[in-house]
Amino acid sequence: MVELILDPGLNLNRVARPRPPFNLSVVRSGHIPASPYEVLKSPRVGEFFEEARHDYDYVVVDAPPLCSVQDCRIIAHWVDGFLLVVAAHWTPRRLVGEALSVVEPDKMLGIVFNGDDQPPSSYFGYYGYHGRPAATASPSTNGRGASRVGRAVTRVGQLLNQRRRNK
């Protein structure tokens, strides 16, 4: 992405790398410039996002933490929303609170809570996560039931489409 922003001769098609068998392409961040903040302020960043929106159904950006660097505050101009990733027993509560206060409430799509060591409570059964035998699961999900990532992407897409219609 850095090279794409700094080199006007590059376009998204030249830097996006398909990742078969998934219907997914990846643009790596590239080398870390001396001043990432200054690179992100370039008008080329907006052009990159517009081109990505035109070429892809969904554009997901893996960004640094909201609180420690200014990058996300710049990116916020071009994204529809944020998913805050919180590591159980690792991310301090005050940072979660600070991150939630940094992002406009309309742009906070949700929180992903990773690494919890507590056993799942009974409410997971309602959603079909409980002990379903592998034989009854879809073959495309390796016996784990419907793809959680697929459901998450679908849900985020639904939220984004709903927000676009409401604007």
Side-chain angles (χ1 to χ4, degrees), residues 46-118:
E47 293 170 17
F48 162 76
F49 278 109
E50 286 304 314
E51 187 176 359
R53 284 178 189 268
H54 180 267
D55 293 351
Y56 296 95
D57 294 330
Y58 301 102
V59 179
V60 179
V61 180
D62 182 13
L66 286 166
C67 300
S68 59
V69 292
Q70 297 285 328
D71 299 9
C72 288
R73 294 175 191 150
I74 296 172
I75 293 170
H77 298 292
W78 294 291
V79 299
D80 293 320
F82 289 94
L83 285 174
L84 180 63
V85 179
V86 177
H89 314 295
W90 184 263
T91 307
R93 288 182 187 197
R94 74 172 172 76
L95 284 181
V96 174
E98 187 178 333
L100 292 172
S101 70
V102 166
V103 175
E104 294 175 36
D106 304 9
K107 290 206 173 202
M108 183 53 68
L109 299 176
I111 297 175
V112 177
F113 191 67
N114 283 334
D116 189 16
D117 57 359
Q118 297 295 315

Side-chain angles (χ1 to χ4, degrees), residues 8-10 18 27 39 44 47 79 87 104 111 120-121 128 148 151 157:
L10 286 177
V27 175
V39 172
R44 293 264 304 150
E47 293 170 17
V79 299
E104 294 175 36
I111 297 175
S121 64
R148 285 178 277 192
R151 286 192 305 270

Side-chain angles (χ1 to χ4, degrees), residues 21-22 131-149 151:
F22 309 103
R132 188 167 89 178
T136 64
S138 166
S140 65
T141 59
N142 300 323
R144 293 177 296 193
S147 165
R148 285 178 277 192
V149 172
R151 286 192 305 270

